Amino acid sequence: MKEKRKGMLLVISGPSGAGKGTLVSRLLDKDPTFCFSVSVTTRERRENEIEDVHYHFISDEEYDKLLAEDAFIEHASVHGHRYGTLKNEVYERMERGQNVLLDIDPQGAKTVMAKEKECVSVFILPPSYHDLKVRLHTRNTENEEEIQRRLNNAKGEIQQMNKYRYLIVNDDLELAFDQLMAVVRAEKQNSVRYIPEIEE
Ligand code: ADP
Ligand code: 5GP
């Protein structure tokens, strides 16, 4: 049988500091069948971030233009900044059979889960609020006010975790990554994405 299938849309979400970015970059290193959907954002670029690799950093005017052009699959205001997933980062690649990975906040994930029923949604949970707080401080990429805002938002976000197909507690990173890879391995065999084409 020739294998012909559509790509998987893998949606990774969870509160800020849970470890989404860490797990996502490991997955991208390990599995070349995945490509990352680079989002647009109006927030400032951090020192370690690369334009068009981590985000497309754009102005409010450019963001408004994309909104007017209906360029987004989803978009949301997250912790005071605007973010959006571009259709042209996702659909063509999936049609070509490529797997596409989104790292988006729970508001955006809700929209994508409603629109794309076959997406594989994974919620990353921290072991505790205490750990979340420590991780955000250790990461050292936000000021105290930003950290507080992210911690306050985490409570509401975590209440939505049962809306996702999979839940992974990121306590031990190795274990969490193994669990994510187990989800990916199983979902690659999900029959929904296979296009029937059996030779005589
Ligand atoms: P997110 O993308 O969800 O905001 P990050 O991947 O940036 O979170 O992780 C937040 C911080 O926590 C980073 O400093 C990262 O190195 C650290 N981290 C991630 N996973 C773990 C883990 N399992 N145990 C301890 N620290 C972790
Ligand atoms: P950060 O600013 O720390 O990179 O990301 C803040 C939050 O925005 C994270 O939860 C991240 O997953 C989310 N995010 C990144 N890109 C998008 C996007 O395109 N859409 C939505 N809804 N959230 C995003």
Side-chain angles (χ1 to χ4, degrees):
M1 181 185 165
K2 272 191 269 168
E3 261 199 31
K4 215 174 161 217
R5 58 182 191 94
K6 283 189 286 176
M8 177 194 320
L9 182 59
L10 178 61
V11 180
I12 307 272
S13 195
S16 183
K20 301 182 297 295
T22 306
L23 289 164
V24 160
S25 70
R26 275 197 173 206
L27 175 57
L28 291 169
D29 281 348
K30 175 113 187 197
D31 187 336
T33 70
F34 276 92
C35 58
F36 183 61
S37 161
V38 180
S39 294
V40 301
T41 181
T42 60
R43 86 150 159 74
E44 294 264 300
R45 188 175 65 81
R46 296 176 190 140
E47 237 175 54
N48 63 331
E49 287 176 329
I50 303 165
E51 167 77 45
D52 298 332
V53 172
H54 295 99
Y55 286 105
H56 304 295
F57 295 95
I58 61 171
S59 65
D60 270 310
E61 291 71 31
E62 288 168 313
Y63 190 97
D64 286 335
K65 190 161 171 278
L66 289 170
L67 262 182
E69 289 167 357
D70 193 26
F72 295 127
I73 299 174
E74 64 73 36
H75 57 91
S77 217
V78 190
H79 319 306
H81 304 286
R82 300 201 287 173
Y83 298 81
T85 304
L86 292 168
K87 289 177 184 170
N88 68 13
E89 290 274 335
V90 175
Y91 291 133
E92 281 165 31
R93 288 167 171 171
M94 283 172 68
E95 282 306 315
R96 286 202 304 267
Q98 244 182 324
N99 297 321
V100 180
L101 176 52
L102 307 185
D103 170 352
I104 58 177
D105 92 303
Q107 303 170 75
K110 191 177 172 191
T111 307
V112 176
M113 287 190 280
K115 277 191 182 168
E116 303 294 329
K117 299 287 182 210
E118 289 164 13
C119 78
V120 178
S121 55
V122 181
F123 193 85
I124 308 297
L125 196 65
S128 67
Y129 286 112
H130 173 75
D131 284 280
L132 197 61
K133 192 172 174 178
V134 170
R135 285 180 193 179
L136 284 171
H137 279 103
T138 315
R139 188 171 70 182
N140 202 21
T141 47
E142 282 80 28
N143 61 31
E144 194 51 42
E145 192 188 335
E146 277 275 332
I147 290 178
Q148 268 318 314
R149 194 204 291 244
R150 284 164 191 247
L151 289 171
N152 290 339
N153 288 342
K155 304 248 153 133
E157 292 170 346
I158 287 172
Q159 279 167 7
Q160 302 296 311
M161 66 186 184
N162 295 108
K163 305 260 166 31
Y164 293 72
R165 194 178 293 181
Y166 298 98
L167 189 66
I168 293 177
V169 180
N170 179 23
D171 187 355
D172 177 281
L173 182 61
E174 296 306 321
L175 177 62
F177 185 63
D178 273 357
Q179 289 169 341
L180 180 59
M181 290 310 289
V183 165
V184 164
R185 268 195 297 276
E187 286 289 348
K188 279 186 177 176
Q189 304 313 124
N190 192 322
S191 62
V192 289
R193 281 178 289 278
Y194 277 82
I195 302 161
E197 200 175 281
I198 302 177
E199 287 165 38
E200 283 303 322

